Amino acid sequence: MTADDSLWQLAPTYTLKTLELFNWGGFNGPHQATIDVGGTAIVGPTGSGKTTLIDALMTLLTSNPKYNLASTGGLESDRDLVSYVRGVSGPGDGGADQSHIARPGKTVTAISATLHNGESTACLAAILWFDDSNSSPTDMKKLWLFSTSPEQNLNLWLTVQHEGGMRALRQLDKSNTGIWTYTAKKSFLARIRDFFEVRENAFNLLNRAAGLKQLNSIDEIFRELVLDDTAQFDRAKEVANSFDDLAAIHEELDIARRQQRSLEPVKSTWDKVQKNETELSQKNHLYELVSPWFGEQGYKIWLAEYERLRGEYQQAHANQERSEEAYHAQIQSRDNLKEHYLKLGGSDIQVLEALIAEKQQNVNRIERSASEYQRLVANLAMPPELTREKLQANQTHAQSQVEALKQELGKAETDVFDQGVAERDASQSLRELQQELSDIQQRPRSNIPGKFQHFRQALAEELNLSEDDLPFVAELIQVKEGDQDWRGAIERAIGSHRLRILVPPSEINRALNWINKRHNQLHVRILEVNTHDKTARFLADGFTHKLDFKTHDYRETVKHLVARIDRHCVTDSEQLKTTEHAITMQGLMSGKARFFDKQDQKRLQDDWLTGFDNQDRLAFLTQKCNDQAHIQTEAKNLLQHAKSTQTKLNQRQALLG
């Protein structure tokens, strides 16, 4: 055995491991066949897809695969790539007219073969798709993939195709290693043959062998693809090339025949054009004759109509002259009668009649005004007598009431505005409390106000961490059950540290950079988590002994934080006076000697933030919502009363005005 033979035997051999299909032929959706290296038999009834499975592998290995050879006896292919992509079934069982297309519209097909040699993996794949209902091979988009990276797989490629199409798939080999994409199958097969170090005939032999049903044909295939002297192929290629000119001539003749066939409709159309032009010429001649004929007929008709209208006009003119003579006679008679009337004293009678009409109009107007006046003074509880003295007295009284009403109306308008502002503020506060209550209910493990939790959520998304990895200090401590009387004082002692967010050291730079660049609309407090070699030391009588610390990775950091702000717990102000850094149960705190503080901006039982759950916060917000709802109802009632008063005053002012 030679050295080369030893190396050949030691070289690892790639074997087929899995074959994956997606929308291939009759296989709808994803399917996978696992191949055993010891031997695998594909069995099943006719039409179950055995040959379809083999044809998928042949599609990846040969340039022009012969499909369905097992069904045709290994002689000729009766299927094509489009039929497998579209899922065509039925041809051969009743003719093409009875075929069924499983995927007629937009569709995607993918096939993949994975090979393994014990050390590394190689994957061959193809993704084929139609963007519409066309079934022409030229409309089908193809991409061939070859990968040696175990991270690349068919599911990933299908997802990339769905999200970005051909452009996204072609970007894979630019942004990843161990994968190559090809739009031309020739380049793809050349890459495969170079990788597996085989000749092209090896895959063709495999394709032909896959369709064998009779063993007596294997010698012919083996002789054609393996044993024949390939040196004769070069001569055959030269002979074939000599026919290129004949092929070009044949193509030109074929084009000429197609042009002749395409011009046949032009000839028949030209005959029709000539016939139509003749008919058009005749129609134009008739059209030229029609106009004079219609003109003659119209002249006769309108001449008769003219004679008729002329006679009627002459008759009407005679009637008009007679009417004008009668009209002038009536005018003369009227003037004569008027002159006779004036001579008898008619001008004085007209003057008196006009004066009577004017006086009657004044009487009617005064009566209407008097009636309106009596109605108004009756509504204002004033005397209704129509005398000068009563009128002057009523005017004086009304003027004084108008001045008083202006003052009351101004006060009413102020009340309406103030109550409207109060009702609006109460409604806004109630909505904010209800929103915060809703936020707290969604986070049952924290008493922290909603706006701070929203900020913590945004920070967690930026750092790609969970909210549990960014706890608030208040979420990791709570006052022991037996020391609840000290709860309010301890909350004040810890103060704003309760809202401090704990950030792991690995993320502190990113967190600070993100917080620094944005307007956070909050007082943001951050504490970097640190490892502590020593246990936190608490004051012997400090409030820290009244705390429970939640089991958490940051527990020691929280202990060291509260240890730095620990205070002595004293019983009264006398003891506080002599003890530095102490606190009473009522929240009075001492600093250095002679310095004392009590932060009573809020009640001692308000705004508790510590605790391992949100029950305290829920109870506090529920009570505040109820109180605010009561305030809102009272504000609405007061606003309604103020508006009612304003309406009444406006009505009374209108009466006095």
mmCIF file of all heavy atoms in Angstrom, residues 412-452:
data_model
loop_
_atom_site.group_PDB
_atom_site.id
_atom_site.type_symbol
_atom_site.label_atom_id
_atom_site.label_comp_id
_atom_site.label_asym_id
_atom_site.label_seq_id
_atom_site.Cartn_x
_atom_site.Cartn_y
_atom_site.Cartn_z
ATOM 1 N N ALA A 412 -70.540 86.269 41.679
ATOM 2 C CA ALA A 412 -70.973 84.966 41.151
ATOM 3 C C ALA A 412 -70.035 84.492 40.044
ATOM 4 O O ALA A 412 -69.687 83.307 39.963
ATOM 5 C CB ALA A 412 -72.405 85.064 40.624
ATOM 6 N N GLU A 413 -69.614 85.398 39.157
ATOM 7 C CA GLU A 413 -68.686 85.022 38.084
ATOM 8 C C GLU A 413 -67.357 84.559 38.653
ATOM 9 O O GLU A 413 -66.752 83.591 38.176
ATOM 10 C CB GLU A 413 -68.476 86.209 37.151
ATOM 11 C CG GLU A 413 -69.707 86.559 36.320
ATOM 12 C CD GLU A 413 -69.490 87.798 35.473
ATOM 13 O OE1 GLU A 413 -68.460 88.482 35.706
ATOM 14 O OE2 GLU A 413 -70.330 88.075 34.596
ATOM 15 N N THR A 414 -66.899 85.228 39.710
ATOM 16 C CA THR A 414 -65.646 84.805 40.365
ATOM 17 C C THR A 414 -65.809 83.418 40.978
ATOM 18 O O THR A 414 -64.913 82.559 40.884
ATOM 19 C CB THR A 414 -65.247 85.823 41.439
ATOM 20 O OG1 THR A 414 -65.103 87.103 40.840
ATOM 21 C CG2 THR A 414 -63.940 85.417 42.103
ATOM 22 N N ASP A 415 -66.977 83.195 41.633
ATOM 23 C CA ASP A 415 -67.228 81.875 42.228
ATOM 24 C C ASP A 415 -67.255 80.788 41.161
ATOM 25 O O ASP A 415 -66.716 79.688 41.359
ATOM 26 C CB ASP A 415 -68.557 81.892 42.995
ATOM 27 C CG ASP A 415 -68.474 82.736 44.266
ATOM 28 O OD1 ASP A 415 -67.334 83.023 44.701
ATOM 29 O OD2 ASP A 415 -69.533 83.111 44.802
ATOM 30 N N VAL A 416 -67.905 81.069 40.013
ATOM 31 C CA VAL A 416 -67.960 80.073 38.938
ATOM 32 C C VAL A 416 -66.553 79.738 38.446
ATOM 33 O O VAL A 416 -66.197 78.564 38.245
ATOM 34 C CB VAL A 416 -68.829 80.592 37.771
ATOM 35 C CG1 VAL A 416 -68.674 79.686 36.541
ATOM 36 C CG2 VAL A 416 -70.291 80.657 38.187
ATOM 37 N N PHE A 417 -65.726 80.768 38.265
ATOM 38 C CA PHE A 417 -64.351 80.525 37.797
ATOM 39 C C PHE A 417 -63.553 79.720 38.825
ATOM 40 O O PHE A 417 -62.892 78.727 38.490
ATOM 41 C CB PHE A 417 -63.669 81.863 37.523
ATOM 42 C CG PHE A 417 -62.235 81.726 37.095
ATOM 43 C CD1 PHE A 417 -61.913 81.362 35.799
ATOM 44 C CD2 PHE A 417 -61.184 81.937 38.004
ATOM 45 C CE1 PHE A 417 -60.597 81.227 35.404
ATOM 46 C CE2 PHE A 417 -59.873 81.796 37.611
ATOM 47 C CZ PHE A 417 -59.579 81.439 36.305
ATOM 48 N N ASP A 418 -63.635 80.140 40.112
ATOM 49 C CA ASP A 418 -62.872 79.453 41.156
ATOM 50 C C ASP A 418 -63.326 78.006 41.288
ATOM 51 O O ASP A 418 -62.493 77.081 41.399
ATOM 52 C CB ASP A 418 -63.048 80.183 42.497
ATOM 53 C CG ASP A 418 -62.394 81.565 42.481
ATOM 54 O OD1 ASP A 418 -61.527 81.794 41.602
ATOM 55 O OD2 ASP A 418 -62.751 82.403 43.333
ATOM 56 N N GLN A 419 -64.646 77.775 41.282
ATOM 57 C CA GLN A 419 -65.147 76.412 41.425
ATOM 58 C C GLN A 419 -64.816 75.580 40.183
ATOM 59 O O GLN A 419 -64.565 74.376 40.290
ATOM 60 C CB GLN A 419 -66.665 76.422 41.663
ATOM 61 C CG GLN A 419 -67.093 77.094 42.959
ATOM 62 C CD GLN A 419 -66.425 76.476 44.193
ATOM 63 O OE1 GLN A 419 -66.146 75.285 44.197
ATOM 64 N NE2 GLN A 419 -66.161 77.293 45.202
ATOM 65 N N GLY A 420 -64.809 76.211 39.010
ATOM 66 C CA GLY A 420 -64.421 75.481 37.799
ATOM 67 C C GLY A 420 -62.967 75.033 37.859
ATOM 68 O O GLY A 420 -62.635 73.903 37.502
ATOM 69 N N VAL A 421 -62.100 75.950 38.334
ATOM 70 C CA VAL A 421 -60.683 75.583 38.483
ATOM 71 C C VAL A 421 -60.521 74.477 39.512
ATOM 72 O O VAL A 421 -59.767 73.506 39.319
ATOM 73 C CB VAL A 421 -59.852 76.828 38.884
ATOM 74 C CG1 VAL A 421 -58.424 76.426 39.235
ATOM 75 C CG2 VAL A 421 -59.856 77.845 37.748
ATOM 76 N N ALA A 422 -61.269 74.588 40.633
ATOM 77 C CA ALA A 422 -61.174 73.561 41.676
ATOM 78 C C ALA A 422 -61.665 72.210 41.152
ATOM 79 O O ALA A 422 -61.055 71.162 41.423
ATOM 80 C CB ALA A 422 -61.994 73.999 42.899
ATOM 81 N N GLU A 423 -62.776 72.213 40.390
ATOM 82 C CA GLU A 423 -63.297 70.954 39.847
ATOM 83 C C GLU A 423 -62.326 70.348 38.836
ATOM 84 O O GLU A 423 -62.103 69.150 38.810
ATOM 85 C CB GLU A 423 -64.659 71.226 39.190
ATOM 86 C CG GLU A 423 -65.452 69.970 38.837
ATOM 87 C CD GLU A 423 -65.063 69.373 37.498
ATOM 88 O OE1 GLU A 423 -64.552 70.133 36.664
ATOM 89 O OE2 GLU A 423 -65.246 68.163 37.295
ATOM 90 N N ARG A 424 -61.713 71.216 38.003
ATOM 91 C CA ARG A 424 -60.740 70.706 37.030
ATOM 92 C C ARG A 424 -59.523 70.112 37.727
ATOM 93 O O ARG A 424 -59.056 69.017 37.387
ATOM 94 C CB ARG A 424 -60.303 71.851 36.111
ATOM 95 C CG ARG A 424 -59.338 71.423 34.987
ATOM 96 C CD ARG A 424 -58.613 72.615 34.434
ATOM 97 N NE ARG A 424 -57.791 73.251 35.471
ATOM 98 C CZ ARG A 424 -57.215 74.440 35.336
ATOM 99 N NH1 ARG A 424 -57.385 75.137 34.242
ATOM 100 N NH2 ARG A 424 -56.470 74.953 36.317
ATOM 101 N N ASP A 425 -59.006 70.824 38.748
ATOM 102 C CA ASP A 425 -57.841 70.315 39.477
ATOM 103 C C ASP A 425 -58.182 69.008 40.187
ATOM 104 O O ASP A 425 -57.366 68.065 40.219
ATOM 105 C CB ASP A 425 -57.359 71.355 40.498
ATOM 106 C CG ASP A 425 -56.807 72.605 39.827
ATOM 107 O OD1 ASP A 425 -56.484 72.515 38.617
ATOM 108 O OD2 ASP A 425 -56.696 73.645 40.495
ATOM 109 N N ALA A 426 -59.393 68.931 40.765
ATOM 110 C CA ALA A 426 -59.788 67.705 41.459
ATOM 111 C C ALA A 426 -59.898 66.541 40.479
ATOM 112 O O ALA A 426 -59.464 65.411 40.770
ATOM 113 C CB ALA A 426 -61.122 67.920 42.189
ATOM 114 N N SER A 427 -60.467 66.806 39.292
ATOM 115 C CA SER A 427 -60.587 65.746 38.285
ATOM 116 C C SER A 427 -59.221 65.301 37.799
ATOM 117 O O SER A 427 -58.963 64.102 37.626
ATOM 118 C CB SER A 427 -61.426 66.253 37.098
ATOM 119 O OG SER A 427 -62.730 66.592 37.511
ATOM 120 N N GLN A 428 -58.305 66.265 37.580
ATOM 121 C CA GLN A 428 -56.954 65.917 37.128
ATOM 122 C C GLN A 428 -56.226 65.095 38.181
ATOM 123 O O GLN A 428 -55.573 64.086 37.868
ATOM 124 C CB GLN A 428 -56.176 67.208 36.815
ATOM 125 C CG GLN A 428 -54.738 66.973 36.361
ATOM 126 C CD GLN A 428 -54.656 66.265 35.038
ATOM 127 O OE1 GLN A 428 -55.594 66.313 34.241
ATOM 128 N NE2 GLN A 428 -53.565 65.554 34.791
ATOM 129 N N SER A 429 -56.339 65.504 39.443
ATOM 130 C CA SER A 429 -55.679 64.748 40.520
ATOM 131 C C SER A 429 -56.256 63.339 40.615
ATOM 132 O O SER A 429 -55.521 62.360 40.819
ATOM 133 C CB SER A 429 -55.857 65.483 41.853
ATOM 134 O OG SER A 429 -55.257 66.757 41.811
ATOM 135 N N LEU A 430 -57.605 63.213 40.462
ATOM 136 C CA LEU A 430 -58.225 61.894 40.537
ATOM 137 C C LEU A 430 -57.749 61.011 39.384
ATOM 138 O O LEU A 430 -57.451 59.824 39.598
ATOM 139 C CB LEU A 430 -59.754 62.040 40.504
ATOM 140 C CG LEU A 430 -60.549 60.726 40.583
ATOM 141 C CD1 LEU A 430 -60.214 59.980 41.872
ATOM 142 C CD2 LEU A 430 -62.038 61.000 40.493
ATOM 143 N N ARG A 431 -57.660 61.565 38.178
ATOM 144 C CA ARG A 431 -57.172 60.759 37.048
ATOM 145 C C ARG A 431 -55.735 60.310 37.275
ATOM 146 O O ARG A 431 -55.383 59.157 36.971
ATOM 147 C CB ARG A 431 -57.269 61.569 35.749
ATOM 148 C CG ARG A 431 -58.678 61.723 35.216
ATOM 149 C CD ARG A 431 -58.680 62.229 33.779
ATOM 150 N NE ARG A 431 -58.120 63.564 33.685
ATOM 151 C CZ ARG A 431 -58.828 64.669 33.798
ATOM 152 N NH1 ARG A 431 -60.133 64.608 34.013
ATOM 153 N NH2 ARG A 431 -58.263 65.870 33.684
ATOM 154 N N GLU A 432 -54.885 61.209 37.790
ATOM 155 C CA GLU A 432 -53.489 60.831 38.045
ATOM 156 C C GLU A 432 -53.405 59.739 39.109
ATOM 157 O O GLU A 432 -52.626 58.788 38.986
ATOM 158 C CB GLU A 432 -52.704 62.070 38.485
ATOM 159 C CG GLU A 432 -52.532 63.104 37.373
ATOM 160 C CD GLU A 432 -51.847 64.370 37.870
ATOM 161 O OE1 GLU A 432 -51.605 64.450 39.098
ATOM 162 O OE2 GLU A 432 -51.565 65.263 37.045
ATOM 163 N N LEU A 433 -54.226 59.859 40.180
ATOM 164 C CA LEU A 433 -54.215 58.831 41.222
ATOM 165 C C LEU A 433 -54.721 57.495 40.680
ATOM 166 O O LEU A 433 -54.162 56.428 40.993
ATOM 167 C CB LEU A 433 -55.090 59.286 42.405
ATOM 168 C CG LEU A 433 -54.496 60.383 43.297
ATOM 169 C CD1 LEU A 433 -55.539 60.874 44.288
ATOM 170 C CD2 LEU A 433 -53.258 59.883 44.034
ATOM 171 N N GLN A 434 -55.780 57.531 39.855
ATOM 172 C CA GLN A 434 -56.307 56.293 39.287
ATOM 173 C C GLN A 434 -55.289 55.656 38.349
ATOM 174 O O GLN A 434 -55.161 54.425 38.318
ATOM 175 C CB GLN A 434 -57.616 56.587 38.547
ATOM 176 C CG GLN A 434 -58.770 56.928 39.473
ATOM 177 C CD GLN A 434 -60.010 57.385 38.719
ATOM 178 O OE1 GLN A 434 -59.927 57.790 37.560
ATOM 179 N NE2 GLN A 434 -61.160 57.337 39.373
ATOM 180 N N GLN A 435 -54.568 56.490 37.566
ATOM 181 C CA GLN A 435 -53.539 55.934 36.686
ATOM 182 C C GLN A 435 -52.410 55.304 37.496
ATOM 183 O O GLN A 435 -51.927 54.205 37.171
ATOM 184 C CB GLN A 435 -52.977 57.050 35.784
ATOM 185 C CG GLN A 435 -51.878 56.585 34.824
ATOM 186 C CD GLN A 435 -52.367 55.539 33.859
ATOM 187 O OE1 GLN A 435 -53.464 55.641 33.336
ATOM 188 N NE2 GLN A 435 -51.571 54.513 33.626
ATOM 189 N N GLU A 436 -51.990 55.981 38.576
ATOM 190 C CA GLU A 436 -50.928 55.423 39.417
ATOM 191 C C GLU A 436 -51.409 54.149 40.098
ATOM 192 O O GLU A 436 -50.650 53.171 40.213
ATOM 193 C CB GLU A 436 -50.505 56.449 40.462
ATOM 194 C CG GLU A 436 -49.313 55.978 41.312
ATOM 195 C CD GLU A 436 -48.817 57.052 42.263
ATOM 196 O OE1 GLU A 436 -49.356 58.172 42.253
ATOM 197 O OE2 GLU A 436 -47.882 56.745 43.027
ATOM 198 N N LEU A 437 -52.681 54.113 40.536
ATOM 199 C CA LEU A 437 -53.233 52.903 41.154
ATOM 200 C C LEU A 437 -53.226 51.753 40.157
ATOM 201 O O LEU A 437 -52.885 50.616 40.504
ATOM 202 C CB LEU A 437 -54.657 53.179 41.644
ATOM 203 C CG LEU A 437 -55.386 51.999 42.318
ATOM 204 C CD1 LEU A 437 -54.621 51.529 43.548
ATOM 205 C CD2 LEU A 437 -56.807 52.399 42.692
ATOM 206 N N SER A 438 -53.586 52.038 38.883
ATOM 207 C CA SER A 438 -53.564 50.994 37.855
ATOM 208 C C SER A 438 -52.149 50.477 37.628
ATOM 209 O O SER A 438 -51.927 49.277 37.491
ATOM 210 C CB SER A 438 -54.144 51.548 36.553
ATOM 211 O OG SER A 438 -54.046 50.598 35.518
ATOM 212 N N ASP A 439 -51.164 51.405 37.593
ATOM 213 C CA ASP A 439 -49.768 50.986 37.401
ATOM 214 C C ASP A 439 -49.299 50.108 38.562
ATOM 215 O O ASP A 439 -48.621 49.089 38.358
ATOM 216 C CB ASP A 439 -48.860 52.221 37.281
ATOM 217 C CG ASP A 439 -49.112 52.974 35.994
ATOM 218 O OD1 ASP A 439 -49.709 52.376 35.076
ATOM 219 O OD2 ASP A 439 -48.737 54.150 35.899
ATOM 220 N N ILE A 440 -49.647 50.500 39.794
ATOM 221 C CA ILE A 440 -49.209 49.730 40.965
ATOM 222 C C ILE A 440 -49.844 48.352 40.969
ATOM 223 O O ILE A 440 -49.213 47.340 41.320
ATOM 224 C CB ILE A 440 -49.543 50.510 42.258
ATOM 225 C CG1 ILE A 440 -48.669 51.765 42.349
ATOM 226 C CG2 ILE A 440 -49.312 49.635 43.487
ATOM 227 C CD1 ILE A 440 -47.193 51.496 42.425
ATOM 228 N N GLN A 441 -51.123 48.246 40.552
ATOM 229 C CA GLN A 441 -51.796 46.954 40.525
ATOM 230 C C GLN A 441 -51.129 45.993 39.552
ATOM 231 O O GLN A 441 -51.170 44.781 39.753
ATOM 232 C CB GLN A 441 -53.268 47.154 40.142
ATOM 233 C CG GLN A 441 -54.103 47.790 41.252
ATOM 234 C CD GLN A 441 -55.504 48.131 40.800
ATOM 235 O OE1 GLN A 441 -55.772 48.251 39.601
ATOM 236 N NE2 GLN A 441 -56.402 48.296 41.750
ATOM 237 N N GLN A 442 -50.516 46.518 38.498
ATOM 238 C CA GLN A 442 -49.833 45.674 37.525
ATOM 239 C C GLN A 442 -48.466 45.218 38.022
ATOM 240 O O GLN A 442 -47.850 44.351 37.401
ATOM 241 C CB GLN A 442 -49.671 46.425 36.204
ATOM 242 C CG GLN A 442 -50.996 46.752 35.531
ATOM 243 C CD GLN A 442 -50.812 47.596 34.291
ATOM 244 O OE1 GLN A 442 -49.691 47.818 33.851
ATOM 245 N NE2 GLN A 442 -51.917 48.070 33.727
ATOM 246 N N ARG A 443 -47.977 45.814 39.113
ATOM 247 C CA ARG A 443 -46.675 45.429 39.663
ATOM 248 C C ARG A 443 -46.860 45.104 41.147
ATOM 249 O O ARG A 443 -46.620 45.938 42.018
ATOM 250 C CB ARG A 443 -45.665 46.559 39.490
ATOM 251 C CG ARG A 443 -45.308 46.837 38.029
ATOM 252 C CD ARG A 443 -44.379 48.039 37.921
ATOM 253 N NE ARG A 443 -43.824 48.192 36.595
ATOM 254 C CZ ARG A 443 -44.431 48.804 35.600
ATOM 255 N NH1 ARG A 443 -45.632 49.336 35.803
ATOM 256 N NH2 ARG A 443 -43.854 48.916 34.404
ATOM 257 N N PRO A 444 -47.315 43.882 41.449
ATOM 258 C CA PRO A 444 -47.691 43.546 42.834
ATOM 259 C C PRO A 444 -46.503 43.412 43.783
ATOM 260 O O PRO A 444 -46.708 43.257 44.978
ATOM 261 C CB PRO A 444 -48.402 42.194 42.662
ATOM 262 C CG PRO A 444 -47.839 41.618 41.406
ATOM 263 C CD PRO A 444 -47.551 42.769 40.510
ATOM 264 N N ARG A 445 -45.295 43.489 43.295
ATOM 265 C CA ARG A 445 -44.144 43.274 44.174
ATOM 266 C C ARG A 445 -43.426 44.562 44.548
ATOM 267 O O ARG A 445 -42.296 44.518 45.032
ATOM 268 C CB ARG A 445 -43.153 42.328 43.495
ATOM 269 C CG ARG A 445 -43.679 40.907 43.266
ATOM 270 C CD ARG A 445 -42.637 40.021 42.655
ATOM 271 N NE ARG A 445 -42.261 40.485 41.344
ATOM 272 C CZ ARG A 445 -41.262 39.988 40.631
ATOM 273 N NH1 ARG A 445 -40.515 39.019 41.135
ATOM 274 N NH2 ARG A 445 -40.994 40.461 39.433
ATOM 275 N N SER A 446 -44.067 45.723 44.329
ATOM 276 C CA SER A 446 -43.351 46.971 44.583
ATOM 277 C C SER A 446 -44.320 48.064 44.998
ATOM 278 O O SER A 446 -45.437 48.170 44.479
ATOM 279 C CB SER A 446 -42.598 47.407 43.314
ATOM 280 O OG SER A 446 -41.953 48.644 43.536
ATOM 281 N N ASN A 447 -43.873 48.910 45.972
ATOM 282 C CA ASN A 447 -44.623 50.083 46.406
ATOM 283 C C ASN A 447 -44.144 51.354 45.710
ATOM 284 O O ASN A 447 -44.601 52.446 46.022
ATOM 285 C CB ASN A 447 -44.488 50.270 47.926
ATOM 286 C CG ASN A 447 -45.400 49.333 48.694
ATOM 287 O OD1 ASN A 447 -46.525 49.087 48.272
ATOM 288 N ND2 ASN A 447 -44.917 48.797 49.799
ATOM 289 N N ILE A 448 -43.193 51.235 44.769
ATOM 290 C CA ILE A 448 -42.589 52.396 44.120
ATOM 291 C C ILE A 448 -43.632 53.066 43.209
ATOM 292 O O ILE A 448 -44.361 52.387 42.478
ATOM 293 C CB ILE A 448 -41.360 51.967 43.291
ATOM 294 C CG1 ILE A 448 -40.323 51.282 44.206
ATOM 295 C CG2 ILE A 448 -40.729 53.169 42.605
ATOM 296 C CD1 ILE A 448 -39.830 52.153 45.327
ATOM 297 N N PRO A 449 -43.729 54.418 43.188
ATOM 298 C CA PRO A 449 -44.681 55.107 42.307
ATOM 299 C C PRO A 449 -44.462 54.737 40.840
ATOM 300 O O PRO A 449 -43.354 54.396 40.416
ATOM 301 C CB PRO A 449 -44.390 56.598 42.548
ATOM 302 C CG PRO A 449 -43.820 56.636 43.932
ATOM 303 C CD PRO A 449 -43.039 55.376 44.102
ATOM 304 N N GLY A 450 -45.560 54.823 40.078
ATOM 305 C CA GLY A 450 -45.544 54.354 38.693
ATOM 306 C C GLY A 450 -44.523 55.052 37.814
ATOM 307 O O GLY A 450 -43.867 54.423 36.993
ATOM 308 N N LYS A 451 -44.363 56.391 37.956
ATOM 309 C CA LYS A 451 -43.451 57.098 37.049
ATOM 310 C C LYS A 451 -42.004 56.634 37.227
ATOM 311 O O LYS A 451 -41.231 56.595 36.265
ATOM 312 C CB LYS A 451 -43.569 58.600 37.252
ATOM 313 C CG LYS A 451 -43.273 59.081 38.674
ATOM 314 C CD LYS A 451 -43.504 60.584 38.811
ATOM 315 C CE LYS A 451 -43.248 61.071 40.243
ATOM 316 N NZ LYS A 451 -43.473 62.525 40.366
ATOM 317 N N PHE A 452 -41.636 56.264 38.482
ATOM 318 C CA PHE A 452 -40.278 55.752 38.690
ATOM 319 C C PHE A 452 -40.147 54.339 38.121
ATOM 320 O O PHE A 452 -39.098 53.962 37.605
ATOM 321 C CB PHE A 452 -39.952 55.757 40.184
ATOM 322 C CG PHE A 452 -39.756 57.144 40.756
ATOM 323 C CD1 PHE A 452 -40.796 57.799 41.376
ATOM 324 C CD2 PHE A 452 -38.541 57.797 40.632
ATOM 325 C CE1 PHE A 452 -40.638 59.080 41.890
ATOM 326 C CE2 PHE A 452 -38.365 59.075 41.144
ATOM 327 C CZ PHE A 452 -39.418 59.718 41.772
#
